[in-house]
Amino acid sequence: MNPRTVALAFRVVAVAEALSWVGLLAGMYVKYVPETSEVGVQVFGPVHGAVFVAYVVVTLVAARVLGWSRWTTLLALAASVPPLATVVFERWAGRTGRLAVPARA
C-alpha cells in the first residue's frame, strides 16, 4: 500500500468520525432534551457506527504501513471513544511526524 494514500485516508476518516459524532450528539440532544424527534439518532447512529468501524480499520492499516509503535496505535484507537478526539489525535500525529511519508531517495 502507498503510505501517502494511507496517511490521507487516515486523515479523512479521522475527521469524518468526529463529524459523525457531532451529528449523533446533536441527534441525541434533540431526542432527549426537547424530546421532539428521533430522526437524528436514526440517521446518525448507523452513520457513526459505520465510520467508527472504518476508523478502526484505517487506523490498524496506518499503524502497519506507517510503522507506528504500539503506544501510538493504542492512542489512535482510544481516540475513537471520546467525541472529537480523533481530530485531536490526527493533528498531533501530523505535528509529530507520525503521518509523514518519507521522501523517495
Side-chain angles (χ1 to χ4, degrees), residues 10-11 14-15 17-18 55 75-76 79-80 82-96 99:
F10 179 81
R11 288 179 183 270
V15 171
E17 200 274 343
Y55 177 82
L75 189 60
S80 67
L84 308 177
T86 55
V87 171
V88 174
F89 176 84
E90 181 269 329
R91 295 292 175 189
W92 174 80
R95 260 193 330 269
T96 59
L99 291 176

Side-chain angles (χ1 to χ4, degrees), residues 6 9-11 13-14 17 51-69 72-80 86 89 99:
V6 171
F10 179 81
R11 288 179 183 270
V13 174
E17 200 274 343
V51 176
F52 171 82
V53 171
Y55 177 82
V56 170
V57 170
V58 171
T59 296
L60 294 174
V61 170
R64 185 170 188 101
V65 171
L66 300 174
W68 289 352
S69 67
T72 300
T73 304
L74 288 174
L75 189 60
L77 291 172
S80 67
T86 55
F89 176 84
L99 291 176

Side-chain angles (χ1 to χ4, degrees), residues 21-84:
W21 248 124
V22 170
L24 182 57
L25 290 173
M28 290 171 59
Y29 174 82
V30 170
K31 178 179 178 180
Y32 293 112
V33 176
E35 298 180 359
T36 55
S37 175
E38 294 186 18
V39 173
V41 174
Q42 292 171 344
V43 170
F44 283 104
V47 168
H48 177 67
V51 176
F52 171 82
V53 171
Y55 177 82
V56 170
V57 170
V58 171
T59 296
L60 294 174
V61 170
R64 185 170 188 101
V65 171
L66 300 174
W68 289 352
S69 67
R70 281 189 180 151
W71 183 85
T72 300
T73 304
L74 288 174
L75 189 60
L77 291 172
S80 67
V81 178
L84 308 177

